[in-house]
Amino acid sequence: MDLPLQGLPVCHLKEWTSGRLFGPSAHRQFSSGGAYPNIPLSSPLPGVPKPVFATVDGQEKFETKVTRLDNGLQVASQNKFGQFCTVGILINSGSRYEAKYFSGIAHFLEKLAFSSTARFDNKDEILLTLEKHGGICDCQTSRDTTMYAVSADSKGLDTVVGLLAEVTLHPRLTDEEIEMTRMAVQFELEDLNMRPDPEPLLTEMIHEAAYRGNTVGLHRFCPSENIAKIDREVLHSYLRNYYTPDRMVLAGVGIEHEHLVECAEKYLLRAQPAWGSAGAVEVDRSVAQYTGGIVKVLERDMSNVSLGPTPIPELTHIMVGLESCSFLEEDFIPFAVLNMMMGGGGSFSAGGPGKGMFSRLYLNVLNRHHWMYNATSYHHSYEDTGLLCIHASADPRQVREMVEIITKEFILMGGAVDAVELERAKTQLMSMLMMNLESRPVIFEDVGRQVLATRSRKLPHELCTLICNVKPEDVRRVASKMLRGKPAVAALGDLTNLPTYEHIQAALASRDGRLPRTYRLFR
């Protein structure tokens, strides 16, 4: 059968298809045609209701509210849209307060958290109670803060606060629980020494070197010799001094402030703790004393740790740090920007936007020295001090060269600051801040820690304004001030080629960061 299109010229074909597909008139009337009034896009359309647009003023919708109860306990809350809330108790308690006790008490208390109490016979009862409200619980200790937290349905707030009061003030601390905790702590210490990632161990070592024998330099993990010494009596002695209402904040996110205050008054205002109501008598109010120094741990045997046929490479890890400032000082923000500007990471990082591939430790170190496995900047900040560190790792034969590269980077911190890299670091810091504060548990921790330290909270838009105001001269000023101090050094692995502490100190005091030359008569 012949098709009706066969034999037609192309021009007739176009006319035929237009007529068949679109009818007699194949022309579309566009908005610019005569059939429509010519209204510019900047003018409202006639007959259409006036739109109401959302406004962004950089402010949070809900403010942080703080109330102080008669017994000294502070209640802080930040409302947030959603069905669930995060509530917890933060306490001024941690390893820095253990100078008069056996080191490791805070580590023990972290493992003992959410165990049996006066109301709950065991941990299972606590978990079942939380399960009714879709809740989970956690306890974390740091050098200066202990945090008990619960995330659950907002309707169960009364139950959650009552449970937190029980766990914090009425733990039973039975012999069986303490014995189980001893086993858990022993296992964690063994795991720490076998872990391929040395960062937790190096962080412990650099604090020990920087603040020798005081405050944040005390052991965060329980030393093995103290495991058997910590018992119920020792724990009660510590709790009596540091678990007092004036050292606590009940913080909540995703709940009404008035409701949280009511629950606090019901469960925490007149509560009698299990260790008695006698007031604290031996509270350690020591201010951190930066000493500088070096801590070494010789080579670890990692031959049996690898999960595959290829053994983990034997690396030497070095961390060099200098004193920065506390998070209460104005220089804290420039130091945070400087830390972001240094950046860094592992040599096998996947990269991509936001990974810091244009930070100094990537551009100047990892991209230029293929033999370096890691170069990362860290900033630890506390109520009365701070520590800016660089961690690097490489083959043991290149330790001296690696240390010199680190000291040169420290010296360059006090030099010229490029406007582009500064803006990139500030943008990345603000981005990281805002991204982290999308998470409800992170907001909870931010509210709790700030109120615990300052009795108020700086909102994100205030912090972003402070970050935006950092100038190149601010970064140079804080870096130059930092470089005048003594270094703290942590070294882990084969240290045959490690320069002496005096040589590292001399390099950081020089103009170019070079280590003093060493001469050998025999090679």
Side-chain angles (χ1 to χ4, degrees), residues 427-470:
T427 303
Q428 193 174 351
L429 181 59
M430 287 187 286
S431 169
M432 190 176 292
L433 173 71
M434 301 309 291
M435 185 171 63
N436 286 337
L437 289 173
E438 289 286 315
S439 166
R440 190 181 60 251
V442 174
I443 300 172
F444 155 76
E445 189 171 345
D446 183 52
V447 169
R449 285 182 179 276
Q450 286 202 50
V451 173
L452 195 63
T454 65
R455 301 189 178 183
S456 62
R457 182 190 179 218
K458 276 193 174 75
L459 294 174
H461 72 272
E462 297 177 78
L463 293 171
C464 287
T465 301
L466 292 172
I467 293 168
C468 285
N469 291 337
V470 174

Side-chain angles (χ1 to χ4, degrees), residues 218-233:
L218 300 174
H219 294 287
R220 181 172 172 268
F221 298 103
C222 181
S224 54
E225 63 270 16
N226 287 353
I227 292 176
K229 297 176 184 176
I230 297 176
D231 56 19
R232 190 167 185 264
E233 187 180 339

